[in-house]
Amino acid sequence: MISRRSLILRGAALPLATVPALAAAQSAAPFPRRPVIWVVPYPAGGFGDAVSRVLAQHMSTTLKQPVVVENKPGAGAQIAAAHVRQQPADGHTLLYGDIGPFAMNAALYPRLNYSMARDFMPVSRLLTSSLLLVVPPGSPFKTLDELVQSAKTRKPDAALTYGSYGIGSQPHIWMEMLKREARGNFQHVAYKGGAPAVQDLMGGHIEAMLDVAANSIPYVQEGKLRALAVVGSDRRLERLPQVPTVAELGYPGLNAPGWTGVVVKAGTPPEIAEQLRQAVVLAVQSEEIKRRFGDLGVTPAPQPPADFGRFIQSETERWGSAIRSAGVVLE
């Protein structure tokens, strides 16, 4: 006969016996199980936001779940990075970024609240892009040399004003590098993203700006901005053949392209990261990307995670050296 005690012990053991099976079932659950959040560290309206929304739409189809773009601007992308770092490492939250948060911030902020190497896992590089040095249509500057000469003759209290997407962004650091090379007086005006900066530039509230070419080309062609130089390209842009490159103008060291990529939280299962990578690559190589950005100095440039990780490290070292040479430190 089976004692009452044996029955109780067997009953108590049943739930424990099911734990491995439940864990296996959960780990084998299809991904994604809910909408995927694509976090952008810039406000709506700029290049990063526009690209992200096109990619998210295509990824939604591939993943068979909505991919929702969330804008979390501010603090040099630290707000967005901190948010993603606090989410579960399950692949349902991605961080979009560019050269600023992924490479420059490590040298810019002595107390940066995240580490790319420790807190995040590369998924893929997305695009490389040319940039334009642009001024308002009524600007007295017709060439880069005229802008530089003006900055050299100004006093510190009347410095040439330039805008950027935010403190520590590529436009900010690039202009600081130009300032160092030209030995002129420049004054930085930081904005929360490209869209408000471009609006103020067109309105004449600032005097110059480095902007992603895909953003500025339409404004240049409409006469709302004037382009002085192409940055990050070995040749002139197809849509603006009259605009020289900075290398042509004697500044080869400033000819640095922009780039974008996407990461997930460290610890995300490799099979989930790979599924995300495949969806991202399909989106980057879509006809929609080619149609909207193909002749605007933007090139699809996906990389496998390991290659993208090495690329981030090399760019961190490259821009870290430039930032330290320019003497830029942010709090």
Side-chain angles (χ1 to χ4, degrees):
M1 294 181 64
I2 300 174
S3 69
R4 182 171 180 270
R5 176 181 175 82
S6 297
L7 286 172
I8 292 173
L9 289 174
R10 288 186 183 183
L14 285 174
L16 294 176
T18 63
V19 169
L22 286 173
Q26 288 173 351
S27 65
F31 172 85
R33 299 184 296 276
R34 59 180 184 276
V36 173
I37 308 302
W38 178 285
V39 178
V40 178
Y42 306 114
F47 172 74
D49 178 72
V51 166
S52 293
R53 292 182 187 279
V54 173
L55 296 177
Q57 182 179 2
H58 280 271
M59 289 178 67
S60 296
T61 301
T62 303
L63 296 174
K64 296 180 173 55
Q65 280 280 6
V67 177
V68 181
V69 174
E70 287 190 1
N71 302 90
K72 293 187 178 295
Q78 293 187 79
I79 292 173
H83 172 76
V84 175
R85 190 187 60 190
Q86 292 164 2
Q87 305 308 305
D90 59 6
H92 286 87
T93 309
L94 299 96
L95 176 63
Y96 165 91
D98 55 29
I99 197 168
F102 285 177
M104 291 180 170
N105 281 2
L108 286 169
Y109 294 92
R111 291 184 290 273
L112 189 65
N113 68 5
Y114 68 90
S115 163
M116 286 302 300
R118 182 187 65 242
D119 298 327
F120 298 104
M121 179 177 174
V123 174
S124 180
R125 190 173 65 178
L126 300 173
L127 306 160
T128 58
S129 56
S130 300
L131 303 99
L132 288 174
L133 179 61
V134 286
V135 296
S139 170
F141 310 129
K142 303 295 193 300
T143 66
L144 174 58
D145 186 60
E146 290 177 357
L147 183 146
V148 166
Q149 292 305 316
S150 177
K152 285 182 175 180
T153 60
R154 297 195 188 193
K155 296 181 179 179
D157 60 354
L160 191 148
T161 57
Y162 72 89
S164 80
Y165 308 158
I167 295 173
S169 63
Q170 183 179 6
H172 173 205
I173 301 306
W174 190 90
M175 289 295 297
E176 287 298 310
M177 291 168 65
L178 175 64
K179 171 183 175 179
R180 185 179 181 86
E181 190 155 336
R183 301 182 183 276
N185 283 310
F186 293 81
Q187 177 63 48
H188 179 217
V189 181
Y191 291 84
K192 290 184 177 180
V198 170
Q199 288 299 316
D200 264 15
L201 181 65
M202 289 191 292
H205 301 295
I206 51 177
E207 297 178 79
M209 178 178 170
L210 184 73
D211 190 28
V212 174
N215 259 350
S216 290
I217 284 177
Y219 296 124
V220 172
Q221 293 182 317
E222 293 167 8
K224 296 178 180 178
L225 290 175
R226 179 187 302 145
L228 304 185
V230 176
V231 176
S233 177
D234 294 330
R235 58 182 183 274
R236 299 187 181 195
L237 299 180
E238 181 181 337
R239 299 240 324 237
L240 297 175
Q242 76 281 9
V243 181
T245 68
V246 286
E248 287 181 67
L249 298 173
Y251 297 92
L254 298 181
N255 196 31
W259 52 267
T260 60
V262 65
V263 299
V264 290
K265 183 176 178 178
T268 299
E271 64 273 14
I272 289 178
E274 174 59 18
Q275 193 170 340
L276 289 169
R277 186 196 68 80
Q278 292 178 14
V280 164
V281 171
L282 284 174
V284 165
Q285 296 176 336
S286 68
E287 289 300 319
E288 179 72 4
I289 288 290
K290 294 176 184 176
R291 183 181 66 80
R292 292 189 56 175
F293 305 105
D295 60 348
L296 296 174
V298 174
T299 304
Q303 287 181 314
D307 291 347
F308 185 39
R310 286 189 288 269
F311 177 77
I312 290 174
Q313 182 58 37
S314 67
E315 286 287 276
T316 300
E317 294 170 359
R318 172 189 183 185
W319 285 98
S321 176
I323 289 163
R324 288 186 289 273
S325 294
V328 179
V329 178
L330 306 175
E331 296 297 330

